[in-house]
Amino acid sequence: MKKIKTGIIGMGYIGESHIEAVRRIGLCSLAAVADTNTELAKSKAETYGIEKCYNSVDELLADPDIDAVHNCTPNFLHTQINEKIIRSGKHLLSEKPLATTYKEAQYIAELAKQYPQVVAAVNFNYRMNPMVQEMKSRIANGDIGEVRLATGSYLQDWLLYDTDYSWRLEPEVAGNSCCIADIGSHWMDAVQHVTGHKITEVMADLATVIPVRKKPKKQTETFTSAVPSEYEEVEIKNEEYGAVMFRLNNGARGVYYVSEVCAGHGCYFNFEINGSKASLKWNQEENDRLWMGFRDDDNRFIIRNPNTISAEAKPYTQLAMGHPEGWNDAFKGNIYAFYKYIADGGKGKPLFANLDDAAYIVKLTEAIVESSKKRMWVKVD
Ligand SMILES: NC(=O)c1ccc[n+]([C@@H]2O[C@H](COP(=O)([O-])OP(=O)(O)OC[C@H]3O[C@@H](n4cnc5c(N)ncnc54)[C@H](O)[C@@H]3O)[C@@H](O)[C@H]2O)c1
């Protein structure tokens, strides 16, 4: 079988995870990387033994060897780079959010429809945790009854101090939202994915917890805790805390909160779905188990086990029970889903988030920002 040749644009924090994932998937091979930061691109190409290294998107897209391109650049570049990738006829795997505005997200989603040979995905990687897939399968089978409530949070601490800084705080680079666009987007995608229902109304309270931060004068790595020696004090506009009440299209209610200023939390992504018969709860920090709760029976943990897991979840778990799989494995699982879909000829609705799914998340993010500003419920669909 001919391998699908991959190029990755953006060699920052997440670009490296893409390199590692691609390297683990037999369906594809990593041909090239690109970054406008030449030194960074060169050092990643050397570290990982990658044959080609480019300084620009255009150079990488002009390479006829490359079949699929991952866009791992900051948010404000997603629309223009995704457009170039789609128009080049190469398959697209974009990082989230799809765009910084719904107008642009919709434009890209519609543009892709004019290129039916292009498979396009957005990297909502939490979907492919095997126990998240298991949750989806059990909810679809009616194991918890009718979905009534969805609750949870996604907490991190990498913006805890005023010396912590990221482009995610800058509206010109990230769009008008920091934590909702960055981690709330994952939370909403996961809940919609497992329940099969859409969030159609939101009521939000967003806050900028640290209104002035020390912005480093030189480019720094995302999630670094190093205190910059040279900085300027800047006013912060985007939020690092957001709480959202919502309604799903089946009438179910929900609430979640996200923040990057919660000391002690690295990646505390958790959610619980309460149905008319039972509840299911998953927490990414203990991602091999699913809690199932009953009123009239014993509560239980369902432990990840390739021998007993549902057929839908089975392709996304490899190791025998008790051998921990983690964030990297689920991340690889989502990228594997993308390449498997291409290899199988791109038929049917994929398991990964397509551009319409991702555009809807941008629409929700905009509605959440609007709701918080107006202090009122906003209808989305
Ligand atoms: N799916 C996930 O779990 C996850 C996790 C982290 C980040 N992300 C997403 O990935 C994207 C990148 O985030 P990050 O944390 O890696 O950012 P980062 O700042 O660490 O890296 C971005 C890289 O893009 C490069 N770049 C900027 N402009 C470029 C251009 N025109 N052409 C080529 N390269 C360019 C920068 O030099 C930098 O190396 C964001 O959209 C973010 O939301 C997703």
Side-chain angles (χ1 to χ4, degrees), residues 99-144:
T100 53
T101 65
Y102 178 56
K103 197 172 165 213
E104 289 188 1
Q106 214 179 6
Y107 169 72
I108 289 296
E110 290 310 312
L111 176 74
K113 294 188 178 102
Q114 295 168 28
Y115 294 80
Q117 79 284 9
V118 169
V119 172
V122 175
N123 195 28
F124 282 112
N125 43 298
Y126 289 92
R127 282 189 182 202
M128 245 45 95
N129 273 277
M131 299 318 277
V132 171
Q133 285 298 97
E134 182 69 16
M135 204 168 180
K136 180 178 170 60
S137 164
R138 286 178 186 245
I139 292 172
N141 288 340
D143 292 5
I144 68 165

mmCIF file of all heavy atoms in Angstrom, residues 99-144:
data_model
loop_
_atom_site.group_PDB
_atom_site.id
_atom_site.type_symbol
_atom_site.label_atom_id
_atom_site.label_comp_id
_atom_site.label_asym_id
_atom_site.label_seq_id
_atom_site.Cartn_x
_atom_site.Cartn_y
_atom_site.Cartn_z
ATOM 1 N N ALA A 99 -11.559 28.565 13.080
ATOM 2 C CA ALA A 99 -11.292 29.964 12.716
ATOM 3 C C ALA A 99 -11.554 30.828 13.943
ATOM 4 O O ALA A 99 -12.066 30.349 14.952
ATOM 5 C CB ALA A 99 -12.195 30.378 11.564
ATOM 6 N N THR A 100 -11.245 32.113 13.826
ATOM 7 C CA THR A 100 -11.480 32.994 14.981
ATOM 8 C C THR A 100 -12.887 33.616 14.942
ATOM 9 O O THR A 100 -13.311 34.201 15.932
ATOM 10 C CB THR A 100 -10.429 34.114 15.045
ATOM 11 O OG1 THR A 100 -10.401 34.776 13.790
ATOM 12 C CG2 THR A 100 -9.059 33.577 15.369
ATOM 13 N N THR A 101 -13.571 33.518 13.799
ATOM 14 C CA THR A 101 -14.961 33.994 13.735
ATOM 15 C C THR A 101 -15.815 32.945 13.032
ATOM 16 O O THR A 101 -15.296 32.173 12.203
ATOM 17 C CB THR A 101 -15.096 35.305 12.928
ATOM 18 O OG1 THR A 101 -14.739 35.037 11.561
ATOM 19 C CG2 THR A 101 -14.211 36.414 13.484
ATOM 20 N N TYR A 102 -17.103 32.951 13.319
ATOM 21 C CA TYR A 102 -17.993 31.982 12.684
ATOM 22 C C TYR A 102 -18.086 32.246 11.183
ATOM 23 O O TYR A 102 -18.155 31.319 10.381
ATOM 24 C CB TYR A 102 -19.383 32.034 13.329
ATOM 25 C CG TYR A 102 -20.349 31.074 12.659
ATOM 26 C CD1 TYR A 102 -20.052 29.708 12.562
ATOM 27 C CD2 TYR A 102 -21.537 31.531 12.096
ATOM 28 C CE1 TYR A 102 -20.911 28.816 11.927
ATOM 29 C CE2 TYR A 102 -22.406 30.647 11.460
ATOM 30 C CZ TYR A 102 -22.080 29.295 11.378
ATOM 31 O OH TYR A 102 -22.931 28.423 10.741
ATOM 32 N N LYS A 103 -18.058 33.530 10.802
ATOM 33 C CA LYS A 103 -18.122 33.872 9.382
ATOM 34 C C LYS A 103 -16.988 33.176 8.608
ATOM 35 O O LYS A 103 -17.202 32.578 7.556
ATOM 36 C CB LYS A 103 -18.015 35.403 9.241
ATOM 37 C CG LYS A 103 -18.459 35.928 7.921
ATOM 38 C CD LYS A 103 -18.510 37.435 7.940
ATOM 39 C CE LYS A 103 -18.604 37.915 6.505
ATOM 40 N NZ LYS A 103 -17.955 39.163 6.255
ATOM 41 N N GLU A 104 -15.792 33.247 9.158
ATOM 42 C CA GLU A 104 -14.643 32.626 8.486
ATOM 43 C C GLU A 104 -14.739 31.093 8.542
ATOM 44 O O GLU A 104 -14.422 30.413 7.561
ATOM 45 C CB GLU A 104 -13.327 33.080 9.137
ATOM 46 C CG GLU A 104 -13.000 34.519 8.831
ATOM 47 C CD GLU A 104 -11.603 34.930 9.314
ATOM 48 O OE1 GLU A 104 -10.875 34.089 9.873
ATOM 49 O OE2 GLU A 104 -11.255 36.108 9.118
ATOM 50 N N ALA A 105 -15.199 30.570 9.678
ATOM 51 C CA ALA A 105 -15.317 29.109 9.817
ATOM 52 C C ALA A 105 -16.306 28.562 8.788
ATOM 53 O O ALA A 105 -16.061 27.535 8.138
ATOM 54 C CB ALA A 105 -15.764 28.761 11.231
ATOM 55 N N GLN A 106 -17.414 29.280 8.632
ATOM 56 C CA GLN A 106 -18.444 28.874 7.679
ATOM 57 C C GLN A 106 -17.891 28.939 6.245
ATOM 58 O O GLN A 106 -18.153 28.068 5.421
ATOM 59 C CB GLN A 106 -19.597 29.864 7.811
ATOM 60 C CG GLN A 106 -20.945 29.273 7.606
ATOM 61 C CD GLN A 106 -22.001 30.365 7.778
ATOM 62 O OE1 GLN A 106 -21.710 31.547 7.940
ATOM 63 N NE2 GLN A 106 -23.241 29.961 7.740
ATOM 64 N N TYR A 107 -17.113 29.982 5.975
ATOM 65 C CA TYR A 107 -16.516 30.162 4.650
ATOM 66 C C TYR A 107 -15.635 28.954 4.311
ATOM 67 O O TYR A 107 -15.718 28.382 3.220
ATOM 68 C CB TYR A 107 -15.693 31.466 4.630
ATOM 69 C CG TYR A 107 -14.829 31.606 3.411
ATOM 70 C CD1 TYR A 107 -15.392 31.877 2.165
ATOM 71 C CD2 TYR A 107 -13.447 31.429 3.495
ATOM 72 C CE1 TYR A 107 -14.582 31.968 1.027
ATOM 73 C CE2 TYR A 107 -12.641 31.525 2.371
ATOM 74 C CZ TYR A 107 -13.210 31.797 1.137
ATOM 75 O OH TYR A 107 -12.423 31.873 0.026
ATOM 76 N N ILE A 108 -14.801 28.555 5.267
ATOM 77 C CA ILE A 108 -13.889 27.429 5.027
ATOM 78 C C ILE A 108 -14.675 26.119 4.870
ATOM 79 O O ILE A 108 -14.382 25.297 3.994
ATOM 80 C CB ILE A 108 -12.850 27.316 6.186
ATOM 81 C CG1 ILE A 108 -11.861 28.481 6.113
ATOM 82 C CG2 ILE A 108 -12.107 25.993 6.182
ATOM 83 C CD1 ILE A 108 -10.972 28.503 4.844
ATOM 84 N N ALA A 109 -15.693 25.942 5.709
ATOM 85 C CA ALA A 109 -16.497 24.708 5.626
ATOM 86 C C ALA A 109 -17.204 24.627 4.267
ATOM 87 O O ALA A 109 -17.271 23.553 3.657
ATOM 88 C CB ALA A 109 -17.507 24.660 6.770
ATOM 89 N N GLU A 110 -17.694 25.748 3.772
ATOM 90 C CA GLU A 110 -18.367 25.764 2.459
ATOM 91 C C GLU A 110 -17.357 25.572 1.335
ATOM 92 O O GLU A 110 -17.623 24.852 0.371
ATOM 93 C CB GLU A 110 -19.133 27.081 2.257
ATOM 94 C CG GLU A 110 -20.369 27.215 3.153
ATOM 95 C CD GLU A 110 -21.292 25.994 3.106
ATOM 96 O OE1 GLU A 110 -21.610 25.539 1.989
ATOM 97 O OE2 GLU A 110 -21.647 25.481 4.190
ATOM 98 N N LEU A 111 -16.193 26.216 1.474
ATOM 99 C CA LEU A 111 -15.151 26.082 0.449
ATOM 100 C C LEU A 111 -14.763 24.606 0.265
ATOM 101 O O LEU A 111 -14.624 24.121 -0.869
ATOM 102 C CB LEU A 111 -13.906 26.895 0.852
ATOM 103 C CG LEU A 111 -12.708 26.779 -0.078
ATOM 104 C CD1 LEU A 111 -12.945 27.551 -1.373
ATOM 105 C CD2 LEU A 111 -11.433 27.278 0.602
ATOM 106 N N ALA A 112 -14.615 23.912 1.393
ATOM 107 C CA ALA A 112 -14.192 22.504 1.319
ATOM 108 C C ALA A 112 -15.194 21.654 0.537
ATOM 109 O O ALA A 112 -14.805 20.661 -0.093
ATOM 110 C CB ALA A 112 -14.004 21.955 2.734
ATOM 111 N N LYS A 113 -16.450 22.046 0.564
ATOM 112 C CA LYS A 113 -17.477 21.263 -0.165
ATOM 113 C C LYS A 113 -17.255 21.335 -1.680
ATOM 114 O O LYS A 113 -17.717 20.480 -2.415
ATOM 115 C CB LYS A 113 -18.874 21.755 0.217
ATOM 116 C CG LYS A 113 -19.191 21.464 1.676
ATOM 117 C CD LYS A 113 -20.623 21.749 2.070
ATOM 118 C CE LYS A 113 -20.818 21.363 3.525
ATOM 119 N NZ LYS A 113 -20.839 22.429 4.472
ATOM 120 N N GLN A 114 -16.542 22.382 -2.128
ATOM 121 C CA GLN A 114 -16.228 22.484 -3.569
ATOM 122 C C GLN A 114 -15.048 21.576 -3.950
ATOM 123 O O GLN A 114 -14.685 21.492 -5.117
ATOM 124 C CB GLN A 114 -15.886 23.926 -3.926
ATOM 125 C CG GLN A 114 -17.044 24.891 -3.747
ATOM 126 C CD GLN A 114 -16.562 26.345 -3.821
ATOM 127 O OE1 GLN A 114 -15.573 26.658 -4.479
ATOM 128 N NE2 GLN A 114 -17.261 27.214 -3.118
ATOM 129 N N TYR A 115 -14.412 20.970 -2.954
ATOM 130 C CA TYR A 115 -13.258 20.084 -3.201
ATOM 131 C C TYR A 115 -13.550 18.718 -2.566
ATOM 132 O O TYR A 115 -12.932 18.347 -1.562
ATOM 133 C CB TYR A 115 -11.977 20.690 -2.603
ATOM 134 C CG TYR A 115 -11.545 21.971 -3.275
ATOM 135 C CD1 TYR A 115 -12.159 23.187 -2.964
ATOM 136 C CD2 TYR A 115 -10.536 21.973 -4.238
ATOM 137 C CE1 TYR A 115 -11.785 24.365 -3.591
ATOM 138 C CE2 TYR A 115 -10.145 23.145 -4.865
ATOM 139 C CZ TYR A 115 -10.776 24.338 -4.544
ATOM 140 O OH TYR A 115 -10.399 25.501 -5.163
ATOM 141 N N PRO A 116 -14.506 17.978 -3.157
ATOM 142 C CA PRO A 116 -14.930 16.727 -2.504
ATOM 143 C C PRO A 116 -13.817 15.686 -2.372
ATOM 144 O O PRO A 116 -13.909 14.789 -1.534
ATOM 145 C CB PRO A 116 -16.055 16.210 -3.423
ATOM 146 C CG PRO A 116 -15.958 16.985 -4.688
ATOM 147 C CD PRO A 116 -15.255 18.256 -4.387
ATOM 148 N N GLN A 117 -12.740 15.818 -3.169
ATOM 149 C CA GLN A 117 -11.627 14.857 -3.064
ATOM 150 C C GLN A 117 -10.748 15.151 -1.848
ATOM 151 O O GLN A 117 -9.923 14.330 -1.458
ATOM 152 C CB GLN A 117 -10.790 14.850 -4.364
ATOM 153 C CG GLN A 117 -9.802 15.995 -4.540
ATOM 154 C CD GLN A 117 -10.425 17.348 -4.931
ATOM 155 O OE1 GLN A 117 -11.648 17.516 -4.924
ATOM 156 N NE2 GLN A 117 -9.583 18.313 -5.248
ATOM 157 N N VAL A 118 -10.933 16.342 -1.255
ATOM 158 C CA VAL A 118 -10.129 16.715 -0.078
ATOM 159 C C VAL A 118 -10.842 16.242 1.194
ATOM 160 O O VAL A 118 -12.004 16.584 1.423
ATOM 161 C CB VAL A 118 -9.948 18.255 -0.016
ATOM 162 C CG1 VAL A 118 -9.366 18.696 1.330
ATOM 163 C CG2 VAL A 118 -9.055 18.728 -1.163
ATOM 164 N N VAL A 119 -10.150 15.442 1.991
ATOM 165 C CA VAL A 119 -10.700 15.070 3.305
ATOM 166 C C VAL A 119 -10.235 16.138 4.291
ATOM 167 O O VAL A 119 -9.047 16.479 4.337
ATOM 168 C CB VAL A 119 -10.214 13.664 3.737
ATOM 169 C CG1 VAL A 119 -10.629 13.370 5.177
ATOM 170 C CG2 VAL A 119 -10.755 12.596 2.791
ATOM 171 N N ALA A 120 -11.192 16.703 5.043
ATOM 172 C CA ALA A 120 -10.836 17.798 5.955
ATOM 173 C C ALA A 120 -11.342 17.493 7.369
ATOM 174 O O ALA A 120 -12.499 17.102 7.552
ATOM 175 C CB ALA A 120 -11.426 19.108 5.451
ATOM 176 N N ALA A 121 -10.451 17.687 8.330
ATOM 177 C CA ALA A 121 -10.778 17.373 9.725
ATOM 178 C C ALA A 121 -10.245 18.458 10.646
ATOM 179 O O ALA A 121 -9.328 19.193 10.283
ATOM 180 C CB ALA A 121 -10.116 16.047 10.107
ATOM 181 N N VAL A 122 -10.844 18.542 11.826
ATOM 182 C CA VAL A 122 -10.326 19.447 12.853
ATOM 183 C C VAL A 122 -10.000 18.592 14.081
ATOM 184 O O VAL A 122 -10.742 17.672 14.431
ATOM 185 C CB VAL A 122 -11.321 20.580 13.161
ATOM 186 C CG1 VAL A 122 -10.832 21.432 14.318
ATOM 187 C CG2 VAL A 122 -11.504 21.445 11.914
ATOM 188 N N ASN A 123 -8.882 18.920 14.721
ATOM 189 C CA ASN A 123 -8.319 18.017 15.717
ATOM 190 C C ASN A 123 -8.963 18.134 17.106
ATOM 191 O O ASN A 123 -8.331 18.601 18.052
ATOM 192 C CB ASN A 123 -6.804 18.257 15.803
ATOM 193 C CG ASN A 123 -6.097 17.131 16.526
ATOM 194 O OD1 ASN A 123 -6.560 15.991 16.519
ATOM 195 N ND2 ASN A 123 -4.983 17.444 17.164
ATOM 196 N N PHE A 124 -10.214 17.683 17.203
ATOM 197 C CA PHE A 124 -10.835 17.568 18.528
ATOM 198 C C PHE A 124 -10.491 16.174 19.050
ATOM 199 O O PHE A 124 -11.288 15.237 18.971
ATOM 200 C CB PHE A 124 -12.341 17.836 18.440
ATOM 201 C CG PHE A 124 -12.639 19.303 18.337
ATOM 202 C CD1 PHE A 124 -13.166 19.848 17.181
ATOM 203 C CD2 PHE A 124 -12.359 20.159 19.393
ATOM 204 C CE1 PHE A 124 -13.418 21.219 17.083
ATOM 205 C CE2 PHE A 124 -12.600 21.521 19.307
ATOM 206 C CZ PHE A 124 -13.124 22.043 18.156
ATOM 207 N N ASN A 125 -9.251 16.077 19.559
ATOM 208 C CA ASN A 125 -8.639 14.788 19.839
ATOM 209 C C ASN A 125 -9.263 14.027 20.995
ATOM 210 O O ASN A 125 -9.130 12.813 21.071
ATOM 211 C CB ASN A 125 -7.133 14.971 20.076
ATOM 212 C CG ASN A 125 -6.803 16.155 20.946
ATOM 213 O OD1 ASN A 125 -7.099 17.290 20.583
ATOM 214 N ND2 ASN A 125 -6.205 15.919 22.096
ATOM 215 N N TYR A 126 -9.983 14.734 21.920
ATOM 216 C CA TYR A 126 -10.540 14.011 23.075
ATOM 217 C C TYR A 126 -11.582 12.989 22.654
ATOM 218 O O TYR A 126 -11.851 12.033 23.376
ATOM 219 C CB TYR A 126 -11.098 14.983 24.120
ATOM 220 C CG TYR A 126 -9.971 15.707 24.801
ATOM 221 C CD1 TYR A 126 -9.524 16.928 24.320
ATOM 222 C CD2 TYR A 126 -9.308 15.133 25.878
ATOM 223 C CE1 TYR A 126 -8.451 17.577 24.903
ATOM 224 C CE2 TYR A 126 -8.235 15.764 26.474
ATOM 225 C CZ TYR A 126 -7.810 16.992 25.983
ATOM 226 O OH TYR A 126 -6.744 17.608 26.564
ATOM 227 N N ARG A 127 -12.180 13.194 21.481
ATOM 228 C CA ARG A 127 -13.152 12.232 20.969
ATOM 229 C C ARG A 127 -12.606 10.814 20.963
ATOM 230 O O ARG A 127 -13.341 9.863 21.160
ATOM 231 C CB ARG A 127 -13.495 12.561 19.511
ATOM 232 C CG ARG A 127 -14.445 13.689 19.324
ATOM 233 C CD ARG A 127 -14.861 13.751 17.865
ATOM 234 N NE ARG A 127 -15.756 14.878 17.664
ATOM 235 C CZ ARG A 127 -16.595 14.963 16.648
ATOM 236 N NH1 ARG A 127 -16.646 14.010 15.747
ATOM 237 N NH2 ARG A 127 -17.383 16.011 16.527
ATOM 238 N N MET A 128 -11.314 10.691 20.641
ATOM 239 C CA MET A 128 -10.804 9.357 20.384
ATOM 240 C C MET A 128 -10.163 8.685 21.582
ATOM 241 O O MET A 128 -9.499 7.656 21.450
ATOM 242 C CB MET A 128 -9.866 9.382 19.183
ATOM 243 C CG MET A 128 -10.436 8.583 18.025
ATOM 244 S SD MET A 128 -12.188 8.870 17.656
ATOM 245 C CE MET A 128 -12.065 10.097 16.396
ATOM 246 N N ASN A 129 -10.436 9.196 22.778
ATOM 247 C CA ASN A 129 -10.104 8.410 23.955
ATOM 248 C C ASN A 129 -11.013 7.183 23.926
ATOM 249 O O ASN A 129 -12.232 7.328 23.743
ATOM 250 C CB ASN A 129 -10.390 9.210 25.227
ATOM 251 C CG ASN A 129 -9.213 10.068 25.613
ATOM 252 O OD1 ASN A 129 -8.285 9.589 26.242
ATOM 253 N ND2 ASN A 129 -9.250 11.323 25.207
ATOM 254 N N PRO A 130 -10.440 5.991 24.122
ATOM 255 C CA PRO A 130 -11.293 4.802 23.997
ATOM 256 C C PRO A 130 -12.513 4.838 24.925
ATOM 257 O O PRO A 130 -13.603 4.415 24.537
ATOM 258 C CB PRO A 130 -10.371 3.633 24.340
ATOM 259 C CG PRO A 130 -9.059 4.213 24.725
ATOM 260 C CD PRO A 130 -9.028 5.641 24.324
ATOM 261 N N MET A 131 -12.347 5.375 26.157
ATOM 262 C CA MET A 131 -13.493 5.373 27.076
ATOM 263 C C MET A 131 -14.497 6.476 26.735
ATOM 264 O O MET A 131 -15.648 6.429 27.180
ATOM 265 C CB MET A 131 -13.027 5.457 28.538
ATOM 266 C CG MET A 131 -12.158 4.293 28.973
ATOM 267 S SD MET A 131 -12.712 2.665 28.377
ATOM 268 C CE MET A 131 -13.949 2.247 29.606
ATOM 269 N N VAL A 132 -14.083 7.466 25.970
ATOM 270 C CA VAL A 132 -15.048 8.458 25.465
ATOM 271 C C VAL A 132 -15.859 7.802 24.338
ATOM 272 O O VAL A 132 -17.083 7.936 24.278
ATOM 273 C CB VAL A 132 -14.327 9.739 24.976
ATOM 274 C CG1 VAL A 132 -15.275 10.683 24.265
ATOM 275 C CG2 VAL A 132 -13.671 10.447 26.165
ATOM 276 N N GLN A 133 -15.171 7.041 23.499
ATOM 277 C CA GLN A 133 -15.885 6.290 22.452
ATOM 278 C C GLN A 133 -16.837 5.272 23.088
ATOM 279 O O GLN A 133 -17.940 5.051 22.607
ATOM 280 C CB GLN A 133 -14.889 5.562 21.541
ATOM 281 C CG GLN A 133 -14.161 6.464 20.574
ATOM 282 C CD GLN A 133 -15.124 7.148 19.599
ATOM 283 O OE1 GLN A 133 -15.542 8.274 19.792
ATOM 284 N NE2 GLN A 133 -15.507 6.450 18.557
ATOM 285 N N GLU A 134 -16.382 4.667 24.193
ATOM 286 C CA GLU A 134 -17.216 3.691 24.905
ATOM 287 C C GLU A 134 -18.484 4.371 25.452
ATOM 288 O O GLU A 134 -19.574 3.832 25.392
ATOM 289 C CB GLU A 134 -16.397 3.071 26.055
ATOM 290 C CG GLU A 134 -17.101 2.016 26.868
ATOM 291 C CD GLU A 134 -17.343 0.725 26.088
ATOM 292 O OE1 GLU A 134 -16.725 0.519 25.040
ATOM 293 O OE2 GLU A 134 -18.209 -0.056 26.552
ATOM 294 N N MET A 135 -18.279 5.587 25.978
ATOM 295 C CA MET A 135 -19.406 6.364 26.516
ATOM 296 C C MET A 135 -20.417 6.630 25.393
ATOM 297 O O MET A 135 -21.621 6.458 25.558
ATOM 298 C CB MET A 135 -18.827 7.692 27.023
ATOM 299 C CG MET A 135 -19.606 8.391 28.066
ATOM 300 S SD MET A 135 -18.481 9.693 28.667
ATOM 301 C CE MET A 135 -19.472 10.459 29.893
ATOM 302 N N LYS A 136 -19.900 7.029 24.240
ATOM 303 C CA LYS A 136 -20.766 7.316 23.087
ATOM 304 C C LYS A 136 -21.562 6.069 22.696
ATOM 305 O O LYS A 136 -22.768 6.132 22.483
ATOM 306 C CB LYS A 136 -19.889 7.783 21.905
ATOM 307 C CG LYS A 136 -20.660 8.107 20.635
ATOM 308 C CD LYS A 136 -19.708 8.604 19.554
ATOM 309 C CE LYS A 136 -20.368 8.724 18.197
ATOM 310 N NZ LYS A 136 -21.497 9.652 18.151
ATOM 311 N N SER A 137 -20.861 4.938 22.658
ATOM 312 C CA SER A 137 -21.508 3.697 22.254
ATOM 313 C C SER A 137 -22.604 3.308 23.253
ATOM 314 O O SER A 137 -23.714 2.934 22.869
ATOM 315 C CB SER A 137 -20.427 2.611 22.159
ATOM 316 O OG SER A 137 -20.994 1.352 22.128
ATOM 317 N N ARG A 138 -22.299 3.427 24.549
ATOM 318 C CA ARG A 138 -23.293 3.037 25.570
ATOM 319 C C ARG A 138 -24.497 3.976 25.569
ATOM 320 O O ARG A 138 -25.630 3.547 25.797
ATOM 321 C CB ARG A 138 -22.647 3.000 26.964
ATOM 322 C CG ARG A 138 -21.757 1.781 27.110
ATOM 323 C CD ARG A 138 -21.054 1.718 28.447
ATOM 324 N NE ARG A 138 -20.126 0.598 28.457
ATOM 325 C CZ ARG A 138 -20.246 -0.473 29.253
ATOM 326 N NH1 ARG A 138 -21.235 -0.563 30.125
ATOM 327 N NH2 ARG A 138 -19.366 -1.452 29.191
ATOM 328 N N ILE A 139 -24.261 5.254 25.335
ATOM 329 C CA ILE A 139 -25.395 6.200 25.285
ATOM 330 C C ILE A 139 -26.262 5.886 24.060
ATOM 331 O O ILE A 139 -27.494 5.828 24.160
ATOM 332 C CB ILE A 139 -24.897 7.666 25.276
ATOM 333 C CG1 ILE A 139 -24.266 8.006 26.632
ATOM 334 C CG2 ILE A 139 -26.043 8.638 24.960
ATOM 335 C CD1 ILE A 139 -23.548 9.352 26.712
ATOM 336 N N ALA A 140 -25.615 5.614 22.912
ATOM 337 C CA ALA A 140 -26.368 5.285 21.691
ATOM 338 C C ALA A 140 -27.168 3.995 21.862
ATOM 339 O O ALA A 140 -28.267 3.855 21.322
ATOM 340 C CB ALA A 140 -25.406 5.156 20.511
ATOM 341 N N ASN A 141 -26.641 3.047 22.659
ATOM 342 C CA ASN A 141 -27.352 1.776 22.907
ATOM 343 C C ASN A 141 -28.470 1.907 23.918
ATOM 344 O O ASN A 141 -29.125 0.923 24.252
ATOM 345 C CB ASN A 141 -26.374 0.713 23.440
ATOM 346 C CG ASN A 141 -25.448 0.234 22.363
ATOM 347 O OD1 ASN A 141 -25.736 0.394 21.183
ATOM 348 N ND2 ASN A 141 -24.315 -0.331 22.766
ATOM 349 N N GLY A 142 -28.632 3.077 24.493
ATOM 350 C CA GLY A 142 -29.711 3.296 25.462
ATOM 351 C C GLY A 142 -29.368 2.866 26.873
ATOM 352 O O GLY A 142 -30.250 2.790 27.741
ATOM 353 N N ASP A 143 -28.085 2.584 27.174
ATOM 354 C CA ASP A 143 -27.715 2.070 28.503
ATOM 355 C C ASP A 143 -28.017 3.045 29.639
ATOM 356 O O ASP A 143 -28.210 2.629 30.776
ATOM 357 C CB ASP A 143 -26.214 1.721 28.559
ATOM 358 C CG ASP A 143 -25.865 0.539 27.679
ATOM 359 O OD1 ASP A 143 -26.771 0.056 26.968
ATOM 360 O OD2 ASP A 143 -24.694 0.111 27.701
ATOM 361 N N ILE A 144 -28.021 4.346 29.360
ATOM 362 C CA ILE A 144 -28.331 5.294 30.457
ATOM 363 C C ILE A 144 -29.725 5.914 30.262
ATOM 364 O O ILE A 144 -30.138 6.775 31.024
ATOM 365 C CB ILE A 144 -27.259 6.406 30.610
ATOM 366 C CG1 ILE A 144 -27.241 7.388 29.434
ATOM 367 C CG2 ILE A 144 -25.880 5.817 30.870
ATOM 368 C CD1 ILE A 144 -26.470 8.681 29.734
#
